[in-house]
Amino acid sequence: MKESWRWYGPLDRISLGEVAQTGASGIVTALHEIAYGEVWPRAAIAERKAGLTAAGFDWVVVESLPIHERIKRNDGDLSELFANYRRSMANLAAEGITTICYNFMPLLDWTRTDLAAPVANGGTCLRFSAPRMAALELYMLGRDAARNDYPADVIKAAERWFQASSDADRGELMRSVMSGLPGAYDRYDADGLKTALKQYEGIDRQALRDNYKQFLEEIIPTAEELGMRMCVHPDDPPRDILGLPRIVSDADDIAWILGAVDSPANGLTLCAGSLGANPDNDVPAIARKFASRIWFAHLRNVRKDADGSFEEAEHLAGDTDMVDLVAALLQEEARRRSAGEMQWEIPFRPDHGHELLDDAARNTHPGYPLVGRMRGLAELRGVVASLSHPRHGSH
């Protein structure tokens, strides 16, 4: 497995020199400074790649080449947006970058209500509080339909939190929810979010699926021609929020996506944390079921509460059996090698780490500290080494 690291380019407060000290050899990055829907120029891609190469890294995965919201909504004439996306793909392939991680989450990317929840031995983590999310939906956005989306006890807890909260508390909640958007993209206040949500009125689960299938039909043939692998990232959290449908949340969703355009170029990013936040998901089993279409892996863990809340756990200590999951990925790599497949190695990165030691002082992108992720990478490296050892492992 290829040890990799998410790096935000010029926006990142962690230098490539510091990343090198973690031991990772692959970089997962994107041209975050380019707005959604615009073409990524080949010259800009080449410049970023040259900088990574000079620092001793391979650019192994693009995360991500974003999909414009109009495509998700099937809003108007999309021909230029699809053409721009294909041109960006061609420019990436021309520079030898052939794996693209993307998501099809409407409006918001990963969503958390707390960016610095305390953990037992010191440090902080990202957390999704179902009561706080319900408070935002019901009392800050006035979305009464959300009462059908949460259990009665969560709604009561949401009301208690809202009544006790200050303007600063509510502002911090909105800032936390907006922080999942990477790069320099739109953030919303409550009124702005209400306006943005109106654009999705009438788009239910089936409509979003139809729009996603259209995207796949437009893009996957180009990926095949270019020798590229598209790998969708699961929804985070894997449930509807803000009245927006989520359609990449479990094994059934993944099976539908991979079958919608049945091609090796239409693949999966196996995100253990996103899938693991759904109590019905057996993540190692999902990995084994779709192993041949996994082109990238995010390895992190979550700890779930009964009310639907969850938080980032230590990489080896959450609800998902991480050792079994890594074993499943190594088994797939072994199968690919035996079959003589050229692209047999699965790049992975340690996802969302705890903020530890001096991480908080760095003010990095939420969920992407240096020390916390380095600890996760070291733990995962140990699992891979143990499972791969000829005397003790089977891979």
Side-chain angles (χ1 to χ4, degrees), residues 165-185:
S165 65
S166 64
D167 288 343
D169 293 332
R170 297 168 193 173
E172 180 62 22
L173 174 58
M174 180 61 69
R175 187 180 76 83
S176 297
V177 169
M178 291 295 104
S179 290
L181 295 172
Y185 307 127

Side-chain angles (χ1 to χ4, degrees), residues 43 52 230 271 293:
L52 296 175
M230 302 292 294
C271 181
R293 301 279 278 274

Side-chain angles (χ1 to χ4, degrees), residues 68-281:
H68 198 280
E69 293 299 310
R70 284 182 51 215
I71 292 175
K72 298 175 189 177
R73 299 193 304 264
N74 191 20
D75 179 9
D77 182 359
L78 303 176
S79 56
E80 182 178 2
L81 288 174
F82 283 129
N84 287 355
Y85 203 96
R86 287 190 288 264
R87 281 198 291 271
S88 295
M89 292 170 65
N91 289 341
L92 285 162
E95 293 299 324
I97 305 157
T98 58
T99 302
I100 298 175
C101 170
Y102 69 99
N103 74 71
F104 211 81
M105 289 181 264
L107 196 59
L108 298 180
D109 204 316
W110 60 264
T111 303
R112 299 292 186 273
T113 60
D114 302 83
L115 302 182
V119 295
N121 294 325
T124 63
C125 70
L126 301 179
R127 179 172 173 81
F128 178 91
S129 164
R132 291 193 185 189
M133 194 69 201
L136 184 147
E137 296 202 50
L138 288 167
Y139 303 115
M140 294 171 61
L141 300 178
R143 200 178 77 81
D144 289 339
R147 293 188 181 277
N148 299 321
D149 298 338
Y150 295 94
D153 59 334
V154 170
I155 292 175
K156 289 179 181 178
E159 183 177 8
R160 288 195 299 269
W161 181 87
F162 184 76
Q163 290 177 345
S165 65
S166 64
D167 288 343
D169 293 332
R170 297 168 193 173
E172 180 62 22
L173 174 58
M174 180 61 69
R175 187 180 76 83
S176 297
V177 169
M178 291 295 104
S179 290
L181 295 172
Y185 307 127
D186 291 338
R187 265 70 171 170
Y188 306 103
D189 57 15
D191 288 339
L193 185 54
K194 288 179 189 178
T195 299
L197 288 170
K198 287 180 181 178
Q199 296 178 314
Y200 275 91
E201 288 180 354
I203 298 179
D204 59 12
R205 176 179 174 83
Q206 186 57 52
L208 191 63
R209 269 192 168 187
D210 291 343
N211 300 345
Y212 186 16
K213 185 175 182 181
Q214 181 184 13
F215 169 80
L216 293 173
E217 290 171 344
E218 290 277 352
I219 297 304
I220 296 303
T222 299
E224 292 174 337
E225 293 170 7
L226 296 170
M228 303 189 82
R229 304 297 173 95
M230 302 292 294
C231 41
V232 65
H233 186 286
D235 300 326
D236 187 8
R239 49 158 294 172
D240 295 357
I241 57 171
L242 299 170
L244 300 171
R246 295 293 183 97
I247 58 170
V248 195
S249 294
D250 57 25
D252 289 342
D253 288 342
I254 295 168
W256 178 87
I257 292 161
L258 300 186
V261 177
D262 192 2
S263 166
N266 179 23
L268 174 68
T269 295
L270 194 285
C271 181
S274 297
L275 292 169
N278 182 338
D280 296 329
N281 285 340

Side-chain angles (χ1 to χ4, degrees), residues 250-374:
D250 57 25
D252 289 342
D253 288 342
I254 295 168
W256 178 87
I257 292 161
L258 300 186
V261 177
D262 192 2
S263 166
N266 179 23
L268 174 68
T269 295
L270 194 285
C271 181
S274 297
L275 292 169
N278 182 338
D280 296 329
N281 285 340
D282 181 333
V283 182
I286 289 174
R288 289 186 169 92
K289 182 174 183 178
F290 302 108
S292 66
R293 301 279 278 274
I294 295 172
W295 304 120
F296 183 33
H298 290 179
L299 299 184
R300 63 181 174 89
N301 227 321
V302 297
R303 183 177 296 106
K304 299 181 288 292
D305 297 333
D307 68 355
S309 303
F310 62 90
E311 67 183 26
E312 308 290 347
E314 297 172 5
H315 284 75
L316 304 185
D319 294 338
T320 293
D321 184 339
M322 189 61 70
V323 175
D324 192 30
L325 176 57
V326 172
L329 297 176
L330 289 172
Q331 288 162 1
E332 172 58 16
E333 284 191 336
R335 184 201 66 78
R336 295 177 188 180
R337 286 198 303 272
S338 296
E341 295 184 18
M342 295 293 294
Q343 292 180 291
W344 61 265
E345 193 170 35
I346 299 173
F348 79 94
R349 64 175 180 83
D351 207 359
H352 298 176
H354 290 176
E355 282 198 337
L356 304 173
L357 302 175
D358 67 347
D359 275 334
R362 288 176 170 267
N363 194 29
T364 59
H365 287 73
Y368 292 92
L370 176 58
V371 178
R373 281 189 291 164
M374 184 170 65

